[in-house]
Amino acid sequence: TDMGQVFQKTQSIIERARSKIAHVGGVILEQVLFVNAVAQSLVRAPEYGYARKILEEYMDHLPDEISPKLLGSLYQSLRGAYTNIGDFNKALSYAEQALIVSLEGATYTDISDAAFVLAVSKTDRGYKLPNRSPLIRLWFSNTITFLSSWISVDRLMGYHQQEVDKCCWLAFVENTM
């Protein structure tokens, strides 16, 4: 079947990459190639769920040498996969994990980017709450506060692009209330 072929091709790509890396060496290189192969599968065939399953299994057995940036990217990939299938609770959880990991050693740029992704995930999740309920207003108010705080930090850190992006997203969230 097509689904079986996608799974086999993904596995084959990963195994070939691992074999070459084992010959040459380099844990970080192995991680990067793995993420690239799985990310391509997430994009090409998100409905099958194979890449998502493979990535989740990989996340259960992470090497000790994984960098915060790469781990954050893995969490953000899973966040995107779950957003694509409409599971906004899992997407939000992975976005939160990406920010937490970034705070533990990534660059400020990566941290701020992860905060923006979390704001988007919070907004996506908020749309699943009942319209015009006090809960949805509270949810979006929390998202607005989160964004406002990060806009101030981006301004202080001189990260103008994320400041602008977060301001635009803030206006979008405010208009939904």
Side-chain angles (χ1 to χ4, degrees):
T1 67
D2 288 339
M3 291 185 277
Q5 289 175 347
V6 170
F7 179 74
Q8 291 299 335
K9 286 181 182 179
T10 302
Q11 285 291 90
S12 175
I13 291 169
I14 292 169
E15 289 308 315
R16 268 196 320 264
R18 283 185 176 162
S19 172
K20 287 180 182 179
I21 292 168
H23 179 66
V24 175
V27 174
I28 297 297
L29 183 57
E30 179 181 2
Q31 294 168 9
V32 169
L33 286 174
F34 174 80
V35 171
N36 284 336
V38 172
Q40 288 176 17
S41 297
L42 285 170
V43 170
R44 290 183 184 149
E47 66 277 9
Y48 297 145
Y50 289 125
R52 199 173 56 251
K53 181 181 175 215
I54 290 168
L55 185 53
E56 287 174 327
E57 288 174 6
Y58 180 76
M59 298 290 284
D60 290 338
H61 307 292
L62 290 171
D64 294 334
E65 301 86 6
I66 194 162
S67 71
K69 179 177 182 135
L70 187 55
L71 185 55
S73 294
L74 290 171
Y75 283 129
Q76 287 189 21
S77 294
L78 283 169
R79 176 249 171 218
Y82 279 102
T83 297
N84 286 342
I85 62 169
D87 189 338
F88 297 109
N89 288 326
K90 278 196 174 180
L92 179 60
S93 174
Y94 283 121
E96 288 170 344
Q97 290 177 24
L99 179 58
I100 289 167
V101 166
S102 294
L103 288 168
E104 293 175 356
T107 65
Y108 178 76
T109 303
D110 295 329
I111 294 167
S112 180
D113 292 349
F116 181 71
V117 169
L118 179 54
V120 172
S121 293
K122 286 174 173 268
T123 306
D124 290 343
R125 176 58 185 90
Y127 283 121
K128 294 298 177 186
L129 297 170
N131 283 337
R132 303 194 187 273
S133 72
L135 186 56
I136 197 169
R137 292 188 61 76
L138 178 63
W139 187 272
F140 284 133
S141 291
N142 177 281
T143 304
I144 288 168
T145 301
F146 179 81
L147 280 164
S148 297
S149 298
W150 276 99
I151 289 167
S152 297
V153 176
D154 285 339
R155 188 174 300 123
L156 286 171
M157 297 299 290
Y159 191 15
H160 181 70
Q161 184 59 53
Q162 266 300 347
E163 179 186 354
V164 170
D165 291 346
K166 287 182 184 93
C167 283
C168 291
W169 196 257
L170 176 63
F172 172 75
V173 175
E174 287 175 337
N175 285 333
T176 63
M177 289 188 61

